[in-house]
Amino acid sequence: MPHSTNKELILGIMVGTTGISLLLLWYHKVRKSRKTLNLPKFLSLGSKFDSMTFQDEMYNGQGTAAIFQGRQLQILEKLNELLTNMEELKEEIRVLKETIPKLEEYIQGELGGKITVHKISPQHRARKRRLTAVQSSATSNSSEEAESEGGYITANTDTEEQSFPVSKAFNTHIEELNLDVLLQKADNLRMNECGKMESFELLCDHKEKFRDEIEFTWRLTRAYGDMYELSTNAQEKKHFANIGKTLGERAITRAPTNGHCHLWYAVLCGYVSEFEGLQNKINYGHRFKEHLDKAIQFLPEEPFLYYLKGRYCYTVSKLSWIEKKMAATLFGKIPSSTVEEALQNFLKVEELHPGFSKSNYLYLAKCYIDLEQADNAVKFCNLAVLLPCVTKEDKDAQKEVKKISTSLKR
């Protein structure tokens, strides 16, 4: 409300109050024979003013005028206090308006500094050599890529595509490879952490030629998941996750019985959920479980699937009441799982592939701690320490294993 309007309002109230006062004085003179006078109820302004009758105080005109003027003074004081508070509020809003642009500049500067450090980190030296091709879209047809397939909603928006300019290929001179050789080379490269980016770039260089091949498509989906893991920038992570999920949708639509398509689509759904609110997180969690079960159906001997299912069961067993209630509202049933079910999946991983990963041993230890089996928890902590740290996930797991080991010793 403008300051001038405030003044007009107060002036109007004062004039109106004065008019009422004169009216009451006239009324009192005309009706002197009355012994009492009840003030109109509209002068009571809520709990701030006591409701009073002035029957014993208003036998003459002077008494009425004095009391009424006192009430007027109270009203004016309250209005003045209100006006002062409004002025202070307006001043605070003005200061905030001046501060926000400076805060935006500061945040942009801070983010800019972090991105600069990120680009020159050893982990991303390959990206620095190819500065004009930091990211690549899943296909050359961005409109087709953003299209939702199989009835799923894609999060790959035009804004995100524009934020990450891409080139058609990472290398100007592309070695011509047939599909089998290309896939074998890509698989071999990603067997160690430092080769995952090169594997991703190799697949992007050949996407125009093999984009309709299912074995190529699910590997490219997987490669976007690798880039999500390698990146340390939140916006890049979101970009890689969205494009990978869109590719995964295409893969499961075209090859609904291919377990690898369901596996990597489920993984990318999990990555995308990291940037969503509670409702969408639950939605993606439901989708993750659905496609994970399908992948296990088609690839029953793949240990990675049981590791993922174990992680899912363990997470669900720790859900809060409100998260379960939200899931029930969305899907008609509450997601349920237990630590025991999670444990069985992690043990299945160890059965299929002993020493599968440091993280699998970590979660076996966590399950046994929850089940109050400290000896088994210590056993798997010791096994986890013996495995080498190869990936970032291994390094994170190693830190957590050491913390658990220390607490168990106490």
Side-chain angles (χ1 to χ4, degrees), residues 152-153 249 265 269 283-291:
Y152 294 117
I153 299 173
E249 289 173 0
Y265 176 65
C269 283
N283 186 10
Y284 278 115
H286 178 79
R287 200 181 300 180
F288 174 88
K289 177 65 163 50
E290 174 190 352
H291 290 279

Side-chain angles (χ1 to χ4, degrees), residues 228 236-245 268 271-272 275:
Y228 170 93
E236 285 184 6
K237 279 181 173 288
K238 184 177 181 181
H239 171 76
F240 289 131
N242 284 333
I243 294 182
K245 183 184 73 71
L268 268 295
Y271 290 157
V272 170
F275 303 95

Side-chain angles (χ1 to χ4, degrees), residues 50-203:
D50 299 324
S51 57
M52 300 173 60
T53 57
F54 299 94
Q55 296 176 355
D56 298 330
E57 300 176 346
M58 299 182 180
Y59 288 105
N60 55 67
Q62 287 184 342
T64 303
I67 292 172
F68 198 83
Q69 286 174 358
R71 301 294 281 174
Q72 281 184 313
L73 184 59
Q74 287 182 355
I75 293 172
L76 289 175
E77 286 175 351
K78 292 294 180 183
L79 290 173
N80 183 61
E81 183 181 346
L82 177 62
L83 181 59
T84 302
N85 290 337
M86 291 180 65
E87 290 295 333
E88 290 175 353
L89 180 61
K90 285 168 65 176
E91 178 63 20
E92 289 177 2
I93 292 173
R94 185 188 65 78
V95 172
L96 281 174
K97 286 181 178 179
E98 292 176 357
T99 305
I100 287 173
K102 296 178 182 178
L103 181 61
E104 289 177 352
E105 291 174 5
Y106 174 78
I107 292 172
Q108 288 172 0
E110 287 293 299
L111 290 177
K114 291 179 182 178
I115 292 169
T116 302
V117 173
H118 163 69
K119 286 182 179 177
I120 64 174
S121 63
Q123 187 185 32
H124 298 281
R125 284 195 295 268
R127 238 185 305 179
K128 186 178 178 182
R129 291 196 299 269
R130 299 173 174 89
L131 191 59
T132 58
V134 174
Q135 284 83 22
S136 176
S137 61
T139 68
S140 60
N141 190 339
S142 60
S143 61
E144 180 183 354
E145 186 143 298
E147 182 181 347
S148 176
E149 299 189 39
Y152 294 117
I153 299 173
T154 174
N156 189 17
T157 62
D158 293 338
T159 303
E160 289 168 30
E161 289 296 330
Q162 292 167 3
S163 300
F164 291 87
V166 298
S167 59
K168 290 187 177 181
F170 282 97
N171 300 304
T172 53
H173 301 289
I174 302 173
E175 181 185 0
E176 288 296 328
L177 301 172
N178 64 44
L179 182 62
D180 292 336
V181 174
L182 171 67
L183 299 181
Q184 186 63 49
K185 188 174 181 179
D187 289 344
N188 291 338
L189 283 170
R190 77 177 298 275
M191 289 180 70
N192 57 70
E193 196 80 355
C194 61
K196 287 183 177 181
M197 182 179 291
E198 191 175 347
S199 176
F200 169 73
E201 293 170 353
L202 177 66
L203 292 171

